[in-house]
Amino acid sequence: MTNRRQFLQYSAAAAATSLTASSLLAQERPGGQDAPFKISLAEWSLHRSLRDASKGISNLDFPRLAKEEFGIDAVEYVNQFFKDKAQDEAYLTDLKGRCDDLGVKSLLIMCDGEGNLGDPDNNARTRAVENHYKWVDAAKFLGCHSIRVNAASRGSYEEQMKLASDGLRRLSEYAKPKGLNVLVENHGGLSSNGAWLAATIEKTQMDNCGTLPDFGNFYVTRGKTPEMYDRYKGVEELMPYAKAVSAKSHDFDADGNEIHTDYEKMMRIVLDHGYHGYVGIEYEGSKDSEYDGIKKTKTLLERVAAKLAKA
């Protein structure tokens, strides 16, 4: 077990890595020149299993499951599965050690439930920004390149852009000297409007503030008459700022194609923007088990990668 001094020394060493190098981690072309992208696994794909006590698995088991069950050696955590552990040195050391032993990379932490970074109330917005500090520090310790946050706000189109960009800028200022990126996912509300989110990121004027385009989260409003933003247009608008990509999947046809998203079309958009980093599997369907859904998504991505590598 590390003591507090060792923890801080390790963190300081990680911070010595430049932001540029951290950003390149997300953009590097893994697997040689013929591999257009590499596949990672988002922990949310296993959210039902992780919440089911009878399954007997926890966040600490996630790296092993990714490697042994699915043959995936890069992971994207979800903070709610270790909500009270962000500042637990022993826990983080254990998690990092398991990843190191398995040869699994920790890429990012998806952060929810820490307040709205675009809250109209300045005090609440400040609390939300500061609530994320511990996840920046945890991500740095684990060797991640980013945390993923939300840009929730209230008010008019312009007001929400101003508020969200303020919160994101302040959090990015904290993360930058530590070599971490702050990424926003299209995750409901105006954040699912690609034009709005792209303009909001631009307004932060921080090069470590970017996007994590998700193939499926383009519901601006839900309900009986949902407003849905065009997913291909949205990803196109978000890719200039992308430092990670989320391959959302729900349902598959008999040929193994995702029926809601044309993966080949979507991945052409991703690659056309020069992105050759990790694409995270995020299975959310219910017709297949989580394990089968992850495997089907991986097979689809591999098939698309093979085709696009020859293009």
Side-chain angles (χ1 to χ4, degrees):
M1 181 185 300
T2 59
N3 59 31
R4 180 65 179 169
R5 177 175 295 177
Q6 290 171 320
F7 180 82
L8 291 173
Q9 288 175 337
Y10 186 96
S11 298
T17 301
S18 70
L19 177 65
T20 300
S22 179
S23 298
L24 287 174
L25 174 62
Q27 299 296 332
E28 67 183 353
R29 179 176 294 206
Q33 292 300 309
D34 293 330
F37 59 89
K38 195 168 183 179
I39 297 170
S40 54
L41 181 62
E43 191 170 20
W44 189 252
S45 299
L46 293 164
H47 69 277
R48 289 193 296 271
S49 296
L50 287 161
R51 288 172 173 169
D52 185 347
S54 69
K55 300 292 185 182
I57 61 172
S58 72
N59 180 67
L60 288 172
D61 299 302
F62 176 48
R64 176 183 58 79
L65 291 172
K67 185 70 173 283
E68 296 180 358
E69 291 287 341
F70 309 111
I72 297 173
D73 60 5
V75 295
E76 303 170 11
Y77 304 102
V78 175
N79 73 335
Q80 61 186 274
F81 297 119
F82 57 124
K83 190 73 173 181
D84 60 342
K85 304 298 185 181
Q87 296 173 303
D88 187 326
E89 301 167 24
Y91 182 91
L92 294 177
T93 299
D94 186 2
L95 180 57
K96 186 180 185 305
R98 294 181 187 218
C99 288
D100 291 343
D101 291 343
L102 291 161
V104 171
K105 289 184 178 181
S106 296
L107 300 182
L108 57 88
I109 302 176
M110 298 185 178
C111 302
D112 303 297
E114 296 292 358
N116 294 335
L117 291 171
D119 198 298
D121 181 274
N122 184 62
N123 290 332
R125 190 164 69 256
T126 297
R127 284 195 300 273
V129 170
E130 294 175 350
N131 285 346
H132 284 83
Y133 288 174
K134 60 182 177 291
W135 293 110
V136 170
D137 295 339
K140 178 179 63 177
F141 183 79
L142 292 172
C144 299
H145 61 71
S146 304
I147 63 168
R148 188 277 283 149
V149 303
N150 299 298
S153 186
R154 298 191 307 276
S156 69
Y157 187 99
E158 293 77 14
E159 287 170 340
Q160 291 193 54
M161 185 181 298
K162 178 181 178 181
L163 293 166
S165 64
D166 174 68
L168 290 168
R169 176 186 52 75
R170 287 197 268 167
L171 179 56
S172 298
E173 287 174 344
Y174 177 82
K176 186 168 184 176
K178 300 172 184 294
L180 268 290
N181 302 304
V182 174
L183 309 184
V184 185
E185 180 182 354
N186 45 299
H187 215 193
L190 278 176
S191 76
S192 290
N193 179 313
W196 180 89
L197 182 52
T200 298
I201 297 299
E202 188 69 33
K203 194 174 179 64
T204 68
Q205 298 184 323
M206 296 292 294
D207 60 5
N208 68 319
C209 186
T211 60
L212 193 163
D214 183 291
F215 294 173
N217 283 347
F218 283 102
Y219 282 96
V220 178
T221 61
R222 293 183 180 269
K224 293 182 179 179
T225 57
E227 176 188 351
M228 190 167 185
Y229 201 80
D230 182 271
R231 66 186 64 200
Y232 305 102
K233 178 184 177 184
V235 171
E236 181 78 54
E237 291 167 332
L238 298 179
M239 279 310 302
Y241 309 93
K243 300 180 188 293
V245 172
S246 180
K248 179 65 60 61
S249 60
H250 288 90
D251 304 298
F252 303 86
D253 64 19
D255 296 320
N257 295 306
E258 216 286 335
I259 65 174
H260 306 288
T261 301
D262 182 333
Y263 265 48
E264 183 178 337
K265 178 179 179 179
M266 195 66 88
M267 286 309 304
R268 285 187 184 278
I269 294 172
V270 170
L271 297 177
D272 283 349
H273 282 273
Y275 181 90
H276 298 286
Y278 284 91
V279 175
I281 293 171
E282 190 171 51
Y283 173 68
E284 276 192 345
S286 57
K287 293 181 181 179
D288 291 295
S289 70
E290 290 181 325
Y291 282 43
D292 287 344
I294 291 168
K295 291 174 182 178
K296 286 185 177 183
T297 309
K298 185 187 179 199
T299 298
L300 175 56
L301 283 170
E302 289 173 336
R303 187 169 75 240
V304 169
K307 184 173 183 178
L308 296 183
K310 298 176 182 179

